[in-house]
Amino acid sequence: MSPDQGAAVAPSTDALPNPLPRPADELGRLRAAWARPRGWRALGEINNNLIGPLFVATALLFLTLAGLLGVLIRVQLAMPGLTIIDPATYNQVFTMHGTVMMFLFAVPAVEAVGITLLPAMLGAREMPTPRLGAYAYWIYVIGGLAFFSSLFFGAAPDGGWFMYPPLTSKEHSPGINTDMYLLGIGFIEISAIAGAIELIVGILRCRAPGMTLGRMPIFAWAMLVFAAMVVFAFPAVIVASTLLELERAFDWPFFLPERGGDPLLWQHLFWFFGHPEVYVIFLPAAGMVSMIVPAMAGTALLAHGLVVTALVGTAFLSFGLWVHHMYTTGIPGLSLAYFSAAGFAVSVPSGLQVFAWIGTFAAGKRVRIATPTLFVFGFLFIFVLGGLTGVMVSATPFDWQAHDTYFIVAHLHYVLIGGMVFPLLAALYYWAPAIGRPLSERLGRWAFWLLFLGTNLTFFPMHFAGFAGMPRRIYTYPAGMGLELWNALSTAGAAMVLAGGVVLLADIARNFRPGRGSDRSPWDSGTAEWLPSEDFGLRSIPRITGRYPLWDNPRLGEEVTAGRHFLPGTLTGRREALVTSPAEALPQYVAVIPGPGFAHLVAAVGTAGFFLSLAVSAVVPAAGFGLVALAGFLRWLWTGTDLGPLPARRDGVGAGLELPNYVTGPLSTSWWAMVCLMLVSGTAYACQMGSYLFLWLVNGDAMWPPAGMAAPQGGFGAAALAGYLASGGVVMLASRALRRRDALPGLLLPVALLLLAGASPPT
């Protein structure tokens, strides 16, 4: 098989799978290529079958930790005048509760489910960039645990999970608490972005042949929309955190109004990320529900195309909602009218999905009432209630009255718990048999009723406490204000939620063990993740002819296991993935993907150490960790991103296909990943430009930049542009030399790296 660096073969997928018996050693070669390292070397494994469950387990750990902090908050507020914890500690506790829930549980949890399930659901063996997913996991777990540990040293953030200036300025927060948030959480967003890039490329380029966009599972659509939202929303909070940290470290007044800044700039940047994030975590959860409901109803999802349209429409509208959190900040009336209308409009696609789920249950031949079904019912009840209160607070006059009261706390938790946690638990019970041993139905039902009743008992009374005037973020409250009953009920509900969490964790610890999983869905599901698999995933890559391939062809599992479909072995003796076209899923090439290694782990440790060292003002260790991260990245790039064409067996793809195992340019998955990264960088740049224009418009030419703060120098920008152009030219020369098999790239590429490193101007 000759390597092709140009156009790859894109044959029709109508060719029948090869019915001939495969070579006897083919399965052994496949198992050897995907074998996991033993002992301590297992830390270098990057296979999604290991990284995915680890990701899920870590997210559940942070859910537990944040939940315990929430229970502590409710204990403190159970009665008036309690002093269970002191005010300073309380501020850290409620800040960490919200921060951990949003940054360390919600987004990583849905990414974890995607990394775990999507390869099998798409009929693939692996995502095309597994090291990127493993890197995302390790910086998440290392940084997350270090960040949470700050609570035990009194160094945790204490300004609320939203960290509004000027409360978080150096004057009002002189310690390292705010820096721990800005640098500790800021770099954890790198994990979310890295995972999103892996998901985008994997969903678009690693689907089974024949799985067109129209046949793609709803969960894959939801994760694709989710990942695109992460690319465009998360850079805003990274820019905001960077600006505030620069203000604190170098006294650059981006958010100080007395010196030309504006604290509203933080709110615009933060909520441009923060309100879409509600839908960032809801849409994947909705995708999970859209997979569970058809299986439990025994029929295809009603209005499949409209549900996909609703996912995309919700994502689009969500970027016009960030001012919902800023109705009381003096926004002009015309702007309030626009954002209020957007708030009403976004309920339409969300409601469409709800009716599609109800209609599917109604159209089903039978509805299986199992634990996943109960959690779906609980999700529908709680989320619809949260959505109704969301429509209420979209109305500007009502929001003016309810803003910063416990009514908003109730609404927020109804939407987030109902819209994300209950679907996640439904998915846990539904897909556990696919990735290991199933969970207990009896314990699952106990967990559901305790969590469902406890959630409503905790948060429904908060609506009345809010109407009674109870403000958010308070440490205690006096007696005689009519708040005693509502807070006592909420605390009793929190105890019930805690009991449900204990039952859930006991069920997981007692029954679940990751492993090969069941060869057949206990729910008679129709999607591809229930095909028989091993550590390497599917024995052969199936040809997909419909949205529910196991219902279309009940013998598909036997055919896949017998190696009768595509890529039944390994062409090169290494780990491989079949790459297909983004729209029609036509086979294009066989990508050789990296195996276990430690470069990504070294890079993750260096990245986490760099940011955490800066958070505690340890500049020298930060520099050392930065060098460690750079070494890890260079090793990673040198050994795992472009292996070049490798010797391969002919006609090893199956169905008479002969595909290259190496391509360059737009056909390459690396090219697609780089485009995604450029979109992230472009979004961050747009946020920076928007920040400058906002401050300029607010203050005028006379006040921005303020006195003592020099304007950017054009010479530095010109030097940076020249450096980038020069480095790009060197890379082009190196690429040409590579085609000529010269030794020149070994000399030119280090020069290009040095030019890139020196291209950024000093600050």
Side-chain angles (χ1 to χ4, degrees):
M1 184 179 304
S2 59
D4 183 358
Q5 297 181 8
V9 181
S12 170
T13 57
D14 294 333
L16 292 176
N18 191 344
L20 298 177
R22 310 302 306 174
D25 66 333
E26 196 161 53
L27 182 58
R29 284 166 49 88
L30 191 60
R31 287 172 174 163
W34 290 84
R36 292 184 182 177
R38 300 293 183 182
W40 64 270
R41 294 183 179 275
L43 291 174
E45 179 57 81
I46 59 176
N47 190 345
N48 74 284
N49 289 328
L50 175 64
I51 295 298
L54 285 176
F55 228 134
V56 173
T58 306
L60 291 176
L61 170 64
F62 284 119
L63 171 64
T64 303
L65 295 175
L68 292 175
L69 295 180
V71 172
L72 183 57
I73 292 171
R74 289 311 321 158
V75 170
Q76 169 63 27
L77 296 173
M79 297 175 61
L82 291 181
T83 55
I84 304 298
I85 52 179
D86 62 85
T89 302
Y90 179 85
N91 286 341
Q92 295 186 33
V93 167
F94 94 82
T95 299
M96 289 293 286
H97 168 72
T99 302
V100 173
M101 279 293 190
M102 298 303 291
F103 290 100
L104 296 180
F105 163 64
V107 174
V110 294
E111 274 196 352
V113 174
I115 291 174
T116 303
L117 296 176
L118 278 176
M121 191 178 291
L122 298 174
R125 289 208 180 105
E126 177 63 285
M127 293 292 188
T129 55
R131 279 190 181 175
L132 193 60
Y135 170 76
Y137 170 72
W138 284 112
I139 60 174
Y140 162 59
V141 67
I142 296 171
L145 291 175
F147 175 76
F148 190 86
S149 299
S150 66
L151 187 62
F152 302 106
F153 299 97
D158 54 4
W161 81 280
F162 37 80
M163 298 298 285
Y164 285 165
L167 294 177
T168 52
S169 66
K170 196 70 171 179
E171 178 183 359
H172 300 289
S173 180
I176 67 169
N177 305 72
T178 298
D179 301 302
M180 184 60 68
Y181 177 99
L182 298 174
L183 291 166
I185 285 297
F187 89 88
I188 292 175
E189 297 308 303
I190 298 174
S191 170
I193 292 173
I197 292 174
E198 180 186 30
L199 291 172
I200 291 173
V201 179
I203 293 170
L204 291 177
R205 300 301 311 280
C206 280
R207 303 195 306 276
M211 184 181 283
T212 63
L213 292 177
R215 296 171 181 168
M216 196 165 70
I218 289 288
F219 180 65
W221 268 109
M223 291 305 298
L224 180 61
V225 174
F226 154 88
M229 293 179 71
V230 168
V231 165
F232 290 108
F234 279 47
V237 75
I238 294 177
V239 169
S241 300
T242 302
L243 294 179
L244 184 52
E245 184 60 30
L246 288 173
E247 176 181 289
R248 292 173 56 85
F250 300 108
D251 196 30
W252 292 354
F254 296 108
F255 307 106
L256 300 178
E258 65 275 13
R259 295 176 54 195
D262 195 326
L264 285 186
L265 172 60
W266 171 272
Q267 293 195 36
H268 281 292
L269 288 172
F270 184 85
W271 291 118
F272 186 79
F273 142 82
H275 203 98
E277 189 188 25
V278 175
Y279 298 94
V280 160
I281 62 180
F282 164 67
L283 292 182
M288 299 174 200
V289 173
S290 294
M291 301 292 289
I292 297 170
V293 168
M296 295 306 180
T299 188
L301 180 69
L302 186 68
H304 181 281
L306 288 178
V307 171
V308 172
T309 304
L311 292 172
V312 178
T314 301
F316 177 79
L317 291 172
S318 70
F319 281 92
L321 299 177
W322 80 90
V323 176
H324 274 207
H325 303 264
M326 303 173 63
Y327 278 8
T328 60
T329 59
I331 298 293
L334 183 61
S335 298
L336 290 178
Y338 166 79
F339 288 104
S340 179
F344 290 112
V346 79
S347 64
V348 175
S350 300
L352 190 153
Q353 294 179 78
V354 171
F355 282 111
W357 299 322
I358 295 174
T360 303
F361 275 130
K365 303 172 184 177
R366 50 98 183 104
V367 177
R368 187 193 299 264
I369 306 299
T371 301
T373 319
L374 292 177
F375 276 107
V376 168
F377 288 159
F379 149 74
L380 288 172
F381 180 84
I382 296 175
F383 177 74
V384 168
L385 284 180
L388 291 175
T389 57
V391 173
M392 293 171 65
V393 298
S394 293
T396 306
F398 181 86
D399 184 84
W400 284 342
Q401 302 301 316
H403 189 80
D404 272 348
T405 71
Y406 255 66
F407 186 93
I408 302 299
V409 176
H411 159 70
L412 174 69
H413 284 85
Y414 261 83
V415 170
L416 295 180
I417 294 178
M420 188 268 172
V421 176
F422 272 71
L424 181 68
L425 297 180
L428 184 65
Y429 278 89
Y430 175 77
W431 274 298
I435 60 175
R437 287 173 51 183
L439 297 172
S440 165
E441 274 291 307
R442 181 175 62 87
L443 291 177
R445 291 171 184 264
W446 272 100
F448 166 75
W449 285 111
L450 287 169
L451 291 170
F452 177 75
L453 296 175
T455 296
N456 284 283
L457 183 58
T458 301
F459 298 108
F460 196 77
M462 290 184 184
H463 295 95
F464 299 100
F467 283 140
M470 183 173 179
R472 301 170 66 180
R473 311 164 193 135
I474 59 170
Y475 161 68
T476 187
Y477 54 94
M481 296 183 62
L483 302 176
E484 291 86 349
L485 174 62
W486 309 123
N487 280 286
L489 289 174
S490 291
T491 300
M496 189 177 293
V497 171
L498 178 62
V502 170
V503 173
L504 174 68
L505 293 177
D507 189 6
I508 296 173
R510 178 181 177 183
N511 296 300
F512 182 73
R513 299 291 183 275
R516 179 174 178 177
S518 173
D519 288 343
R520 179 178 175 82
S521 168
W523 326 110
D524 296 325
S525 310
T527 43
E529 73 272 18
W530 296 100
L531 288 169
S533 64
E534 297 188 32
D535 285 343
F536 49 77
L538 302 176
R539 166 67 200 281
S540 57
I541 309 301
R543 182 167 64 91
I544 301 299
T545 58
R547 292 172 181 165
Y548 300 92
L550 294 184
W551 290 349
D552 298 337
N553 180 10
R555 298 181 61 86
L556 184 60
E558 299 175 13
E559 296 175 4
V560 167
T561 304
R564 295 185 57 193
H565 288 257
F566 298 96
L567 201 62
T570 171
L571 277 65
T572 61
R574 306 183 66 155
R575 299 184 180 187
E576 298 162 346
L578 182 62
V579 179
T580 54
S581 61
E584 298 297 325
L586 300 174
Q588 291 186 318
Y589 75 102
V590 176
V592 179
I593 58 178
F598 290 94
H600 66 282
L601 183 54
V602 172
V605 171
T607 304
F610 174 77
F611 283 96
L612 293 171
S613 297
L614 287 181
V616 297
S617 301
V619 178
V620 174
F625 279 114
L627 292 175
V628 170
L630 180 61
F633 283 126
L634 291 177
R635 177 67 178 175
W636 174 355
L637 295 172
W638 198 264
T639 60
T641 56
D642 193 348
L643 301 176
L646 299 174
R649 299 166 50 204
R650 298 182 63 84
D651 195 26
V653 181
L657 298 181
E658 185 174 341
L659 299 177
N661 61 12
Y662 179 72
V663 298
T664 60
L667 288 177
S668 169
T669 55
S670 299
W671 185 90
W672 284 66
M674 182 55 66
V675 169
C676 293
L677 183 58
M678 291 171 66
L679 291 174
V680 172
S681 301
T683 304
Y685 182 74
C687 290
Q688 292 174 340
M689 293 297 297
S691 299
Y692 177 82
L693 292 175
F694 177 85
L695 293 174
W696 177 70
L697 289 172
V698 168
N699 295 286
D701 288 326
M703 294 190 64
W704 188 261
M709 184 176 178
Q713 298 297 317
F716 288 142
L721 178 61
Y724 281 117
L725 291 175
S727 62
V730 172
V731 171
M732 290 179 61
L733 291 175
S735 300
R736 293 178 181 177
L738 180 62
R739 296 190 184 98
R740 297 195 302 268
R741 306 292 197 275
D742 289 348
L744 186 59
L747 299 175
L748 291 182
L749 286 179
V751 177
L753 291 173
L754 289 174
L755 287 172
L756 282 170
S760 299
T763 57

